Structures are given as C-alpha cells and as structure tokens.
Amino acid sequence: MSAQENKHVVRKFFEAGNAGDMDTVMSLIADDVVWTDIGTTSLSGTYRGKKELTERLLGPLFGRLKSGINMQLQRLIAEDDYVVAQTLGSAETLDGVPYNNSYCWIIRLRDGQFAELTEFLDTELVTSVFG
C-alpha cells in the first residue's frame, strides 16, 4: 500500500476508536501484531498477538476508564509501510480522575493492518493515574 493509503488506515483506526466502533478497530490490527508500550509502568511491555494485547493491555486499561480514550490526531507522517501519529488523548477513570496524555505512535502496516506498533507516552502520568 502507498504511504497515503497507510495514513488513511491509521486515520480510520482513530476515528473508529473515538466512535466506540471496536469491531473496526480490531479489524485493523493484525492477528500477529507486536505492540510495545515503552517504559516500566504497570501497562508497559510488548504484547504479541491480538489476544495477548486485548487480555494484558486493552482490557485492563479500558476496564478502568469511564468511556475509553478520545484520541485527537495532531499529525500523521508516512513513509513506505510506516506511519507516525502524534495524538492527544483524553479520558477519565471510573473514579473521576482525568487521564489526558500525549502520544507518539510508530506504526508499521502490512496489508492494511497494524503489524507492529511502538507507543511513546508520558509514563509518569500512567503511573500516577493507574499505579
């Protein structure tokens, strides 16, 4: 796929997530995805495959939030199979604590799906909100 087509996939991913359309979100993630959240927080690590990603990261994270994380795209930069997305996320925990983080996602796409992703974010904020 072209860099422009890959940017379209990434934009679709964030739009679907913001709309609560998890079927579309999950359809854009490859079954064998390798997803890495940097740092040493309780949510940091490398998750291999969609099942592990869901069980170890997405489930625990979204289970502590009122209504997911709204991601506002600030910038998309693409080259070949890679797209870099700069986003601002806003959310609230079940306890009413704001969770508003800044992200940089480096995404490698394969056949219109996220094959590999490294997510950079404010890890101190993750620790202060989620322990």
Side-chain angles (χ1 to χ4, degrees):
M1 295 178 67
S2 72
Q4 279 305 114
E5 290 169 319
N6 286 332
K7 284 171 69 172
H8 175 74
V9 169
V10 172
R11 185 172 276 111
K12 183 177 176 181
F13 174 87
F14 288 112
E15 288 172 354
N18 288 343
D21 181 359
M22 293 311 290
D23 288 339
T24 297
V25 167
M26 295 310 284
S27 77
L28 297 174
I29 299 173
D31 289 338
D32 62 347
V33 68
V34 176
W35 185 300
T36 301
D37 272 13
I38 59 101
T40 57
T41 73
S42 61
L43 299 171
S44 296
T46 298
Y47 306 95
R48 298 181 188 284
K50 203 183 293 190
K51 183 176 190 264
E52 183 178 26
L53 174 67
T54 301
E55 291 175 356
R56 291 191 46 226
L57 176 64
L58 301 180
L61 173 61
F62 290 109
R64 298 175 78 182
L65 299 174
K66 284 186 179 178
S67 59
I69 302 173
N70 184 277
M71 288 289 183
Q72 296 304 310
L73 278 171
Q74 301 297 300
R75 186 169 290 111
L76 285 178
I77 302 167
E79 181 177 304
D80 300 323
D81 293 337
Y82 287 88
V83 175
V84 176
Q86 181 183 0
T87 65
L88 295 175
S90 59
E92 187 176 348
T93 68
L94 296 174
D95 299 328
V97 176
Y99 175 66
N100 303 315
N101 211 331
S102 300
Y103 302 85
C104 181
W105 313 60
I106 301 173
I107 306 155
R108 183 175 63 81
L109 291 106
R110 180 183 67 230
D111 300 324
Q113 292 183 307
F114 288 31
E116 185 178 327
L117 183 143
T118 302
E119 183 179 4
F120 295 87
L121 64 159
D122 181 347
T123 56
E124 184 61 32
L125 180 61
V126 172
T127 298
S128 70
V129 173
F130 300 108

